[in-house]
């Protein structure tokens, strides 16, 4: 859980320091806030973690200055393993 909190915090700081605006910045900020809340709560839902990661990647994927931070968040989410299959 600490890895997720650290990675999300780092990417949020990097995003806040980015002077340029881009169309999906609000989406990235909202999803990072959701990840931070899940990390703080201590019981993240793996499918929700992965969904947030995909939304963040789609929102900031083309901003090269955030690539390292995004990789850190992806690696932290990957620590939770694969979501369980239902059905």
């Amino acid at each position: 859980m600490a890895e997720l909190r650290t990675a999300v915090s780092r990417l949020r700081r990097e995003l806040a320091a980015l002077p340029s605006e881009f169309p999906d910045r609000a989406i990235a900020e909202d999803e990072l806030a959701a990840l931070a809340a899940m990390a703080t709560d201590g019981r993240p839902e793996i499918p929700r973690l992965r969904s947030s990661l995909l939304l963040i990647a789609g929102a900031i994927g083309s901003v090269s200055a955030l690539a390292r931070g995004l990789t850190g968040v992806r690696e932290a989410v990957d620590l939770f393993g694969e979501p369980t299959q239902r059905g």
Side-chain angles (χ1 to χ4, degrees), residues 45-47 50 80-87:
E45 298 174 28
I46 295 171
R50 295 195 178 282
F80 289 92
E82 293 296 318
T84 57
Q85 298 294 323
R86 293 184 183 181

Side-chain angles (χ1 to χ4, degrees), residues 46-74:
I46 295 171
R48 179 68 172 108
L49 286 175
R50 295 195 178 282
S51 175
S52 288
L53 177 61
L54 287 174
L55 288 168
I56 293 165
I60 66 172
S62 64
V63 182
S64 61
L66 300 174
R68 180 180 281 165
L70 180 59
T71 297
V73 171
R74 182 191 55 80

Side-chain angles (χ1 to χ4, degrees), residues 8-77:
V8 168
S9 178
R10 181 177 300 127
L11 184 54
R12 288 177 92 182
R13 283 192 312 271
E14 290 173 3
L15 182 58
L18 194 66
S20 62
E21 288 296 320
F22 51 93
D24 295 330
R25 185 180 190 130
I27 293 169
E29 291 170 343
D30 289 347
E31 292 303 319
L32 283 167
L35 284 178
M38 284 187 271
T40 300
D41 180 40
R43 288 197 232 147
E45 298 174 28
I46 295 171
R48 179 68 172 108
L49 286 175
R50 295 195 178 282
S51 175
S52 288
L53 177 61
L54 287 174
L55 288 168
I56 293 165
I60 66 172
S62 64
V63 182
S64 61
L66 300 174
R68 180 180 281 165
L70 180 59
T71 297
V73 171
R74 182 191 55 80
E75 290 171 351
V77 168

